[in-house]
């Protein structure tokens, strides 16, 4: 039961982060998404992007290109929001 609860909490947190990022006007453009996919070592053969490998791995994991790219876009959006949050945190010097 605890595992199921943890997974559900992670899903809710992810959705809240994405919604927050979208309300702030943050986006992940197509160029950034494409770069992320092309540079993903899981989709490379001999150091170069392989469309066949990409499609094969997506199919093996029951993703369409559209559903995977949508999920990846949300992941990148969460990373972007986290980076902004981390950069905005200031630490004061101890007195």
């Amino acid at each position: 039961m605890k595992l199921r609860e943890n997974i559900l909490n992670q899903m809710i947190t992810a959705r809240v982060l994405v919604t927050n990022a979208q309300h702030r006007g943050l986006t992940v453009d197509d160029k950034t998404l494409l770069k992320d996919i092309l540079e993903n070592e899981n989709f490379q053969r001999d150091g170069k992007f392989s469309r066949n490998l990409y499609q094969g791995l997506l199919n093996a994991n029951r993703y369409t290109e559209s559903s995977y790219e949508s999920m990846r876009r949300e992941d990148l959006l969460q990373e972007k929001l986290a980076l902004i949050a981390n950069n905005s945190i200031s630490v004061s010097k101890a007195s």
Side-chain angles (χ1 to χ4, degrees), residues 36-45 47-48 53 57:
D36 177 76
I37 292 170
L38 294 177
E39 292 178 355
N40 186 323
E41 292 179 1
N42 294 309
F43 305 136
Q44 294 181 1
R45 182 164 286 133
K48 296 177 90 174
L53 185 56
L57 286 171

Side-chain angles (χ1 to χ4, degrees), residues 13-74:
T13 299
R15 175 71 357 228
V16 168
L17 288 172
V18 167
T19 301
N20 187 327
Q22 290 169 336
H23 284 312
R24 292 173 181 262
L26 299 176
T27 60
V28 173
D29 60 28
D30 292 341
K31 183 178 176 181
T32 301
L33 178 62
L34 180 61
K35 182 178 185 293
D36 177 76
I37 292 170
L38 294 177
E39 292 178 355
N40 186 323
E41 292 179 1
N42 294 309
F43 305 136
Q44 294 181 1
R45 182 164 286 133
D46 299 323
K48 296 177 90 174
F49 177 77
S50 167
R51 186 159 222 13
N52 288 337
L53 185 56
Y54 175 65
Q55 290 175 329
L57 286 171
L58 294 187
N59 289 337
N61 289 285
R62 297 188 175 147
Y63 285 110
T64 63
E65 283 188 34
S66 178
S67 65
Y68 175 77
E69 290 170 8
S70 178
M71 179 190 70
R72 230 9 241 146
R73 194 179 297 269
E74 288 187 358

Side-chain angles (χ1 to χ4, degrees), residues 1-14:
M1 183 76 157
K2 188 73 171 170
L3 177 62
R4 177 177 269 174
E5 186 178 313
N6 287 340
I7 291 170
L8 181 58
N9 284 337
Q10 288 174 350
M11 291 172 66
I12 292 169
T13 299

